[in-house]
Amino acid sequence: MKTIKNIKVLVMALIASFAMFNCSNDDDSVHPKVIDFSGTYSQEDQMGRPAVNTVFVASTDKDTYNVTVPTAQNAAFQSKFEANLLALSPAYANGGMNALGQDASAFTSLLATDVLNVSLDGTTTFFDGTNVLTGRALADDVITVELLLIFGGEDFMENPGLSNDNVDANDKAFLTSFPYLASPW
């Protein structure tokens, strides 16, 4: 019992000292922080379309893919993406297509260039039933759309067990004004 009390006292002391160490009376408007952007920077990861890099790029190619400029990605990686898609999805077997009317070659040509397209004059969405890959809204179910395009076939009906992540909503509501992201737990 005495050991538990000692542990509680120690934990409280650590929390108090951490809080006091991290609190200050500095006013950032009086003492602004200067951020130094000089130096050499390098691209570490590309994730224009969530999960595409994770699923279609082999671990041995990750570093190369992540530093390849998008305009060169299709030529360098499309054939590898296509081989992975054909190995993963029976929906493309024997010339099958996805709901966008793309065969494996056309679809992986789209995927290999890891950019997020944005419609400047229309609806911005990952998929809303009509518009596809014209951008991305926070509430778009990106992973389910990707699963549907990979496994769902021409009418989204093939392989139903593989075509949905079954996560249908965010755990917290998005805000109605900027920054729009839900507050942390």
Side-chain angles (χ1 to χ4, degrees):
M1 188 65 137
K2 190 173 185 177
T3 304
I4 293 174
K5 185 177 180 182
N6 289 340
I7 291 173
K8 286 181 182 179
V9 170
L10 178 62
V11 168
M12 292 305 292
L14 287 171
I15 291 172
S17 65
F18 180 73
M20 288 188 297
F21 177 77
N22 285 310
C23 295
S24 73
N25 291 330
D26 288 348
D27 182 355
D28 286 343
S29 63
V30 175
H31 306 286
K33 294 179 182 174
V34 177
I35 300 172
D36 181 6
F37 289 106
S38 64
T40 303
Y41 296 91
S42 63
Q43 177 76 33
E44 292 293 326
D45 193 17
Q46 294 200 39
M47 196 62 69
R49 293 190 190 102
V52 171
N53 183 341
T54 304
V55 171
F56 289 100
V57 180
S59 59
T60 55
D61 290 333
K62 290 283 187 199
D63 289 339
T64 303
Y65 183 80
N66 285 327
V67 298
T68 301
V69 295
T71 55
Q73 288 173 329
N74 192 356
F77 294 97
Q78 183 276 330
S79 62
K80 293 178 180 187
F81 272 48
E82 185 173 354
N84 289 340
L85 178 65
L86 293 172
L88 280 172
S89 179
Y92 290 93
N94 303 318
M97 296 187 182
N98 64 20
L100 302 177
Q102 298 171 319
D103 63 9
S105 177
F107 184 49
T108 55
S109 289
L110 173 69
L111 293 180
T113 303
D114 191 21
V115 296
L116 181 59
N117 302 324
V118 176
S119 174
L120 299 177
D121 59 359
T123 303
T124 301
T125 183
F126 211 72
F127 176 75
D128 65 4
T130 303
N131 301 287
V132 181
L133 303 177
T134 59
R136 180 178 177 199
L138 282 175
D140 287 349
D141 196 347
V142 174
I143 300 300
T144 292
V145 170
E146 290 175 345
L147 291 172
L148 284 166
L149 292 173
I150 293 168
F151 297 108
E154 295 174 30
D155 58 2
F156 287 156
M157 302 305 287
E158 293 182 39
N159 309 298
L162 300 174
S163 297
N164 192 338
D165 66 357
N166 296 305
V167 178
D168 298 323
N170 199 33
D171 55 345
K172 293 184 89 176
F174 294 114
L175 302 176
T176 57
S177 60
F178 186 81
Y180 302 108
L181 298 173
S183 60
W185 296 269

